Amino acid sequence: MSGPMVKAEAVHKRFGHLEVLKGINLEVRAGEVMCLLGPSGSGKSTFLRCINHLEKINSGRLSVDGELVGYRQVGDKLHELRESEVARKRAGIGMVFQHFNLFPHMTALENVTCAPIRVKKVPRAEARARAEELLGRVGLAEKAAAYPAQLSGGQQQRVAIVR
Amino acid sequence: MPSGEVTDIEGRPEDIRAVPVRRPGRWIAAAIVLVLAVVVVHSVVSNPRFEWSVVGHYLFDERILEGLRVTLELTVIAMALGIALGVVMAIMRLSPNPLVSGGSWLYIWFFRGTPVLVQLIFWYNIAALYPKFNLGVPFGPAFVHANANTLIKSFTAAILGLGLNEGAYMAEIVRAGIISVDEGQTLAAQSLGLTRLQTMRRIVLPQAMRVIIPPTGNETISMLKTTSLVSVIAVGDLTYAAGNIYSLNFKTIQLLIVISGWYLLCTSVLYVGQYYLERYFARGAARELSPTAFQRMRAGWLSFGHHEGGI
């Protein structure tokens, strides 16, 4: 078995004077399921956003699948990754937001096919077929043409997971 | 149906049919409005000085129709220029690069802060400032030379004046639309791996359109009327055409009625267009789309027929 899937070493994150993450160390191996528990405002979501480089960490090291998040190490210097490189890495990480953040102007199917078509350049028909199959697996096959506003909270969550 | 019974023949619960509350205030208000309307209409119709036959005579006059064509052409081109500039300026304004956002700020500050009429006359007289235009490397060799007077005729000056001024207003409208889209949308798009440009084009702008469309419709209607200012720089628009005619025959009011009719017709058409655009971009925002006028009419007839067939 290779190294850990997610590895955090002394990760610090500050918002202004507020120190949210004070030296997080953790390892998650492939196939492992991990729960982060804690009271509201304790930084669980912030940490998840850091893993996806939606937030920049202030110090420490954070890597996914053995690669640093958001940076490339050359010698002992860190270089920021270009936007397109960050985007490509994010495409390999799934994330479901607290409020799901589905795109309201797209149907459930379009929400799911958006990233494969635009980012991974999957042919439209193939992306559609795959999305229909996935929606079917979470029991939303007949809701493929519905807009998020026409779905219940639980249905929206399932679309967000499929996405 | 006898009283006391709450289900119909097939056992379904019967709809409530109560006697509505009387509202005498409404009847009085309606009567006052009606009387005022009759007074106005009567005076318009009975006053011979309106000379409605003159209005009818000039309504489809060739010169008026040519002016209408120029007005519509100006509106479409200036609005297109304004919207394109507005989108670019709004995105520049939100850029993290201070020079880029500062440039956009300066543009908006200048063109929103000076009257359109002044800008129009300025572009018309630009040749006094720059008699020749050269296209080439800045401070370096030029490839194309042009004479300002041949390049910027009055129509071009009108397009520049109206379009650049409109761009400043559209920039603020588009910026408001972009800001109104929830930040979570950008985060979600980025977490899916979309680039900044894709996020803007595929996710943020389509949603911003809901906020952008109504004021843009307003701007288009406003632009249609603002084009009447170009008559001061001798562009043959609708107002200019009317002016040419009434300066000869002194039927000023009649010709103003003629062009007001045309302006009203055009703005009415724009109203309808705006309604359908709003409806298109509202998809996903509401559970159901609001019905179009035709659908509403059909639904009205159907429910009317249903009541007839009821109890």
Side-chain angles (χ1 to χ4, degrees):
Chain A
M1 189 138 165
S2 56
M5 199 65 203
V6 177
K7 187 174 183 191
E9 296 167 275
V11 170
H12 284 260
K13 171 68 193 173
R14 283 187 303 274
F15 289 112
H17 290 296
L18 183 69
E19 193 167 25
V20 181
L21 303 179
K22 303 166 190 169
I24 306 286
N25 292 293
L26 84 102
E27 284 188 8
V28 185
R29 282 183 298 279
E32 240 181 345
V33 176
M34 171 163 286
C35 294
L36 289 179
L37 304 177
S40 338
S42 62
K44 308 176 294 288
S45 303
T46 301
F47 183 64
L48 285 183
R49 284 147 63 116
C50 289
I51 292 178
N52 221 347
H53 202 51
L54 291 172
E55 299 284 356
K56 282 185 187 173
I57 60 177
N58 295 109
S59 67
R61 289 286 184 277
L62 188 54
S63 57
V64 173
D65 203 10
E67 289 179 41
L68 280 182
V69 173
Y71 304 95
R72 183 188 305 114
Q73 191 155 11
V74 181
D76 54 353
K77 264 192 184 160
L78 287 184
H79 294 256
E80 274 189 17
L81 288 184
R82 254 176 291 137
E83 202 198 311
S84 54
E85 297 172 305
V86 175
R88 214 172 307 131
K89 288 201 173 172
R90 281 188 188 131
I93 303 175
M95 181 164 178
V96 177
F97 290 87
Q98 271 167 14
H99 303 288
F100 317 137
N101 294 359
L102 291 177
F103 305 131
H105 60 302
M106 297 181 181
T107 61
L109 188 77
E110 287 165 348
N111 262 284
V112 178
T113 56
C114 179
I117 292 174
R118 306 278 168 223
V119 181
K120 294 184 179 161
K121 309 293 177 201
V122 177
R124 197 168 282 267
E126 195 182 311
R128 267 187 78 98
R130 174 103 181 103
E132 274 167 4
E133 186 220 318
L134 286 172
L135 283 174
R137 226 195 285 174
V138 294
L140 288 175
E142 71 275 29
K143 292 285 183 190
Y147 287 99
Q150 296 164 328
L151 298 175
S152 73
Q155 289 169 333
Q156 287 184 30
Q157 187 173 29
R158 278 179 273 160
V159 175
I161 293 168
V162 169
R163 182 169 75 166
Chain B
M1 231 352 101
S3 61
E5 197 146 334
V6 288
T7 54
D8 66 6
I9 308 147
E10 287 156 47
R12 284 188 308 242
E14 195 189 318
D15 288 347
I16 292 175
R17 279 165 211 280
V19 178
V21 174
R22 302 279 169 231
R23 301 180 192 279
R26 282 188 189 175
W27 287 99
I28 297 167
I32 293 172
V33 170
L34 198 66
V35 168
L36 286 176
V38 168
V39 168
V40 170
V41 170
H42 177 257
S43 90
V44 166
V45 173
S46 64
N47 185 346
R49 293 190 198 194
F50 268 98
E51 296 187 75
W52 288 103
S53 63
V54 176
V55 173
H57 179 255
Y58 282 106
L59 196 54
F60 296 101
D61 189 283
E62 219 171 88
R63 289 162 288 180
I64 294 288
L65 292 182
E66 171 62 17
L68 178 67
R69 192 188 62 75
V70 173
T71 290
L72 290 178
E73 201 177 323
L74 267 176
T75 308
V76 170
I77 300 177
M79 245 355 252
L81 181 63
I83 291 173
L85 264 172
V87 172
V88 173
M89 286 296 157
I91 293 175
M92 279 174 68
R93 186 94 177 74
L94 296 166
S95 158
N97 182 334
L99 269 180
V100 172
S101 79
S104 163
W105 183 89
L106 206 67
Y107 168 84
I108 296 171
W109 172 77
F110 183 81
F111 284 97
R112 218 163 50 142
T114 50
V116 200
L117 189 55
V118 173
Q119 288 175 32
L120 282 171
I121 302 171
F122 174 84
W123 289 112
Y124 188 54
N125 292 293
I126 190 76
L129 210 52
Y130 296 101
K132 280 195 168 59
F133 284 118
N134 297 321
L135 194 67
V137 183
F139 307 109
F143 311 124
V144 186
H145 307 268
N147 199 320
N149 267 329
T150 52
L151 193 65
I152 300 193
K153 298 229 173 59
S154 55
F155 189 79
T156 325
I159 293 291
L160 279 174
L162 295 173
L164 288 173
N165 184 72
E166 189 55 38
Y169 283 94
M170 284 306 302
E172 288 296 276
I173 291 173
V174 174
R175 188 170 71 96
I178 291 175
I179 292 173
S180 78
V181 177
D182 180 38
E183 214 201 333
Q185 293 291 310
T186 311
L187 286 180
Q190 287 182 342
S191 79
L192 287 175
L194 267 66
T195 61
R196 280 243 306 270
L197 201 71
Q198 283 177 321
T199 305
M200 186 54 83
R201 185 167 138 46
R202 302 281 168 192
I203 309 298
V204 177
L205 277 181
Q207 294 182 56
M209 288 308 271
R210 281 197 63 226
V211 177
I212 293 173
I213 293 286
T216 303
N218 215 11
E219 287 294 310
T220 312
I221 285 169
S222 168
M223 173 64 83
L224 184 83
K225 297 176 297 169
T226 311
T227 53
S228 62
L229 289 179
V230 302
S231 49
V232 297
I233 56 170
V235 176
D237 79 314
L238 196 50
T239 306
Y240 188 79
N244 271 350
I245 300 174
Y246 67 64
S247 64
L248 294 177
N249 67 5
F250 303 108
K251 303 286 186 195
T252 310
I253 296 287
Q254 287 70 28
L255 278 149
L256 292 184
I257 294 175
V258 166
I259 63 170
S260 297
W262 280 115
Y263 281 121
L264 275 172
L265 179 77
C266 295
T267 48
S268 310
V269 171
L270 289 174
Y271 265 94
V272 178
Q274 184 184 343
Y275 178 79
Y276 279 93
L277 262 181
E278 275 179 33
R279 197 168 169 276
Y280 174 77
F281 281 104
R283 70 196 194 287
R287 287 205 149 201
E288 270 174 63
L289 284 179
S290 60
T292 64
F294 289 116
Q295 287 171 340
R296 218 177 304 165
M297 236 156 32
R298 219 177 317 149
W301 283 332
L302 279 181
S303 63
F304 184 68
H306 178 75
H307 282 307
E308 285 284 287
I311 304 159

